[in-house]
Each structure stands twice: as structure tokens, then as C-alpha cells.
Amino acid sequence: MTGIVVEGVGSVPIGRSRVRVPDLEARAPRLLRLVGRNGIGKSTVVELLAGASRPPRGRVLVAGRAASDPLARAARTVTRTEPALLPALSLERHARLFGRAAGVGADRAIAALADAGLEGCLAMRTDALSTGQRRSAWVALTTLREAGVMLLDEPFLGLDGDAAARLAATVERWASTRLVVLVDHGDRELAADTTVVRMEPA
């Protein structure tokens, strides 16, 4: 099964507060949008599905395996909110590093950056890029590997109108064949088979 299941997790502690994790079940192809105010727990759901956090109860599955199972890693890509790029390295060097980690050639990684509108920035250090350019690069580099489940946590944050439109078209393309779990504060319309999950306080 190319999809996810979150069942019976309930509320989990985050710092001094708690967030409520809703039951979810979705299969590809689909866009699953997690919406709700800041601090409601959307990123917590992403981290559970990424296998970085283990649920205190219930189950969290990715492609039929526990999300924390190392074998589930091949079934998903994870794009977290904060870009983790090395400031002193060029964007082209990042493409080679991320491409190797994803098991794809450098040409494929450089093409993904070009598709994101960054073909003229390859020689630049990432600390010289704008906020939106770093975000676009981060999304392109963390989604190089073909995976049935894609986790995207605030990928539109800081993008200008052109970059957001380009990414929206890319997300729509991904969601036509895969399951895309998207955290996005915007009300943008995306032409994909969409399920909206509105998260509520614990």
C-alpha cells in the first residue's frame, strides 16, 4: 500500500503543552492538506510520519510499515520547514551531495534546481541566496528521490508569487501519482484530488 495510516495516537506532549493528533488514512494518488493555526500540531504529524518521533500509543504507518522502521525510509521523502543548507557551499555542490544521498545523478539534481527557477544560482553560496531561493532549493533537493509518500512542511513559506506558482504546479504533478502530505497556511487552490484535515486543539 502506498499511503499512510495514523490511528489511536491521541494527544502527545510538545514542550509544556499537548497537541491532538487526528486519525488519518490516505492512499496515493492524493493531496492531503493539514491546516490549522500555528502550534496546533501539524509539524508533529509530519515528524511522526517521518519516523523522527514515535507515538506514545496507537500506530503510525507509511506504506504498511511502522514509520520508525528503517525500511519505511525508502517509501517517503521529507521536506522540513527549516532549510538545512551549508552556508559556505555553492548550490551546485549541494546538488551533488543531495543527489548522491538520494541515489540520483548530479545532472538530475541540477535539473531539479533549474526546474525550480534556480539555474542562474548554481555557482552561488547558499548564504548569498534570498530566503525564497533557499526555500526553493531546499524543496527541490529534498524531493529528488522517487517515493510514493511525500511529506512537505510549509514548502511555500517565503516564496514570491512566481516561485509559489511554480511549486504549486509541481505539487499538483506529484499528487497525480503519489501521496503528498502538505502543511500550508495559505488558501491557495491546487488542482489535485485533495483531502483537507483541519486540526483542532487537544
Side-chain angles (χ1 to χ4, degrees):
M1 174 189 119
T2 302
I4 61 165
V5 173
V6 179
E7 184 177 64
V9 176
S11 66
V12 297
I14 301 296
R16 296 184 178 181
S17 61
R18 300 185 73 86
V19 299
R20 187 170 70 83
V21 176
D23 287 352
L24 304 171
E25 184 169 1
R27 297 187 181 192
R30 179 164 295 275
L31 175 64
L32 178 67
R33 295 185 62 166
L34 301 178
V35 300
R37 62 173 173 77
N38 284 338
I40 202 71
K42 300 182 298 295
S43 292
T44 299
V45 174
V46 170
E47 291 304 311
L48 286 166
L49 290 168
S53 300
R54 293 188 181 223
R57 67 192 65 81
R59 60 182 187 148
V60 178
L61 306 179
V62 174
R65 297 183 180 275
S68 57
D69 185 332
L71 294 176
R73 189 174 302 136
R76 70 184 167 229
T77 60
V78 184
T79 302
R80 292 182 167 87
T81 305
E82 291 302 320
L85 302 175
L86 300 172
L89 293 188
S90 70
L91 200 51
E92 182 175 0
R93 180 63 177 150
H94 277 84
R96 297 184 185 282
L97 292 172
F98 276 78
R100 187 180 306 132
V104 302
D107 288 349
R108 169 70 187 87
I110 289 171
L113 291 171
D115 288 344
L118 299 168
E119 61 274 1
C121 303
L122 295 175
M124 294 174 64
R125 288 168 43 131
T126 58
D127 60 358
L129 299 174
S130 70
T131 299
Q133 288 171 331
R134 281 195 298 275
R135 175 78 55 193
S136 292
W138 176 241
V139 174
L141 293 172
T142 53
T143 56
L144 290 173
R145 187 166 45 80
E146 293 288 335
V149 176
M150 306 182 75
L151 310 176
L152 304 174
D153 196 351
E154 295 285 9
F156 291 95
L157 201 62
L159 299 187
D160 63 21
D162 289 344
R166 187 181 295 112
L167 179 57
T170 301
V171 169
E172 290 170 353
R173 186 178 76 249
W174 286 333
S176 69
T177 58
R178 314 185 212 180
L179 173 61
V180 178
V181 180
L182 173 68
V183 174
D184 180 21
H185 280 105
D187 294 326
R188 72 193 84 249
E189 293 291 330
L190 295 172
D193 191 1
T194 304
T195 298
V196 176
V197 176
R198 192 164 301 279
M199 296 187 60
E200 303 294 342

